[in-house]
Amino acid sequence: MSQRDTDPITNQLTVLSGGPRRSGPRSAFGVVIHGAGLGKRADIDATPVVVGRSQEADLHIPHKSVSRQHCEIWRQDDTYRIRDLGATNRTRVNEQPVTEATLADGDHVTLGESILKFISHSSVEAHYHEEVYQLATHDALTELYNRRHFIELVDKEIARAHRHGRPLVMCIIDVDLFKPVNDSFGHVAGDGVLRQLAAVVRGFVRGEDIAARIGGEEFAVLLPESDLASARAFAERLREAVAASEFLLGGEPRKITISVGIADLDPARAERGALMQAADAALYRAKEAGRNRVWVQGEG
């Protein structure tokens, strides 16, 4: 008898299968596959999704060949429709200029020098594109947004806040004395702390809030439609919840605390860089004042 006949790997039986498992219902979406905005996507439902160069566009494509409001896509009964919005470079579907048209799975939509691919809810590619999108926009450890995607969302919310005169607040959160945790218990234990902290953060944010991991042990939460008083109340509740939690380190439950810096959008902080810098300065003051506390920019 040969080695081949006795090899346990070659003697394994093939398991009968009905094919790949299907996940639950998905939305159709458009994803940029070429040019500026590569990898960006937007889910498509009955409410029209506006695609364009404007920061406020639902799918923002930052290129001068794309009009501020280039086209819109929406679901109409069991079909998906696209409408050109008077773009300078007319919207094209599969290279044909359109004013309004029905989209089919896999159609290519050309907007200036960028190409958007339409993926229907029933497409076999939908799961693949969803996985790619998650990898591109989320932090693998905490499953919160990553820094790059957070910055894109902040810019969009700032543009919206300016246009409509609405309040917007940035919170930057840092784990107190995190280096000794890594030094004493190892990076695996430190990663566990960050995952648990992210879970606490998710439990406190609203649907419209934007939470992200922006650095090693640093997190951020953007609060649209919130003033400083509401943001402080949110940050205090979060701080208290973290302080009350138990983190397993070295086989024993231990306490971890956070410090939070807060700043709001105002004429002196009208852009992302200035807003984040102000929140970071407030965080520094919270650390200086003894940690495990919330500090609002401008406090004495």
Side-chain angles (χ1 to χ4, degrees):
M1 184 179 291
S2 69
Q3 177 64 36
R4 178 184 177 88
D5 292 331
T6 59
D7 190 334
I9 296 177
T10 59
N11 280 341
Q12 287 180 355
L13 295 176
T14 302
V15 177
L16 289 174
S17 171
R21 294 182 180 179
R22 303 293 181 181
S23 57
R26 305 186 187 95
S27 298
F29 56 88
V31 58
V32 180
I33 61 170
H34 177 80
L38 182 66
K40 290 186 176 182
R41 56 162 274 180
D43 293 337
I44 300 166
D45 213 320
T47 303
V49 169
V50 175
V51 185
R53 192 178 75 248
S54 168
Q55 287 279 7
E56 287 188 75
D58 301 298
L59 183 52
H60 173 225
I61 302 181
H63 194 271
K64 60 185 179 182
S65 66
V66 178
S67 294
R68 290 184 57 79
Q69 293 190 333
H70 202 104
C71 67
E72 60 181 2
I73 308 172
W74 73 100
R75 190 191 74 218
Q76 184 174 304
D77 298 324
D78 293 329
T79 63
Y80 292 87
R81 304 283 293 171
I82 184 168
R83 179 188 293 131
D84 182 80
L85 296 176
T88 302
N89 293 308
R90 194 170 168 188
T91 304
R92 303 198 304 274
V93 176
N94 300 328
E95 294 306 317
Q96 297 301 312
V98 299
T99 299
E100 185 170 327
T102 298
L103 289 173
D105 179 49
D107 278 350
H108 286 186
V109 179
T110 302
L111 307 99
E113 296 180 16
S114 291
I115 298 174
L116 176 74
K117 186 173 183 178
F118 173 71
I119 308 292
S120 81
H121 60 281
S122 59
S123 171
V124 295
E125 290 186 53
H127 182 70
Y128 163 76
H129 283 284
E130 179 64 28
E131 290 288 337
V132 171
Y133 178 74
Q134 290 294 319
L135 289 171
T137 59
H138 288 70
D139 172 59
L141 178 65
T142 64
E143 298 182 356
L144 297 176
Y145 287 131
N146 60 28
R147 183 182 181 92
R148 177 180 176 182
H149 191 59
F150 179 72
I151 285 172
E152 291 178 1
L153 295 174
V154 171
D155 286 342
K156 180 180 289 187
E157 290 299 330
I158 287 175
R160 185 171 295 152
H162 285 317
R163 181 176 180 85
H164 300 289
R166 306 302 298 169
L168 183 67
V169 180
M170 173 78 70
C171 302
I172 295 184
I173 303 155
D174 192 77
V175 182
D176 294 328
L177 301 173
F178 187 68
K179 186 177 184 301
V181 170
N182 277 337
D183 290 346
S184 300
F185 303 104
H187 289 278
V188 172
D191 286 351
V193 168
L194 298 178
R195 277 194 297 268
Q196 186 174 341
L197 176 58
V200 176
V201 171
R202 275 195 297 272
F204 278 84
V205 295
R206 306 164 299 173
E208 63 268 30
D209 298 335
I210 301 168
R213 180 187 179 200
I214 60 172
E217 66 270 21
E218 196 167 67
F219 298 79
V221 179
L222 190 71
L223 303 172
E225 306 289 333
S226 287
D227 57 20
L228 285 175
S230 298
R232 178 192 278 278
F234 158 80
E236 287 288 2
R237 290 194 302 271
L238 177 62
R239 182 193 62 77
E240 290 169 1
V242 173
S245 299
E246 291 186 340
F247 295 79
L248 193 63
L249 294 170
E252 297 180 8
R254 298 176 187 270
K255 295 295 185 178
I256 296 288
T257 63
I258 59 171
S259 297
V260 186
I262 298 175
D264 65 339
L265 195 67
D266 73 1
R269 300 183 287 274
E271 302 297 334
R272 168 176 38 89
L275 180 62
M276 293 188 74
Q277 186 175 21
D280 202 49
L283 173 64
Y284 179 78
R285 294 294 301 274
K287 295 281 192 180
E288 267 194 331
R291 304 184 182 90
N292 189 25
R293 65 191 62 222
V294 174
W295 198 283
V296 176
Q297 173 65 18
E299 287 184 337

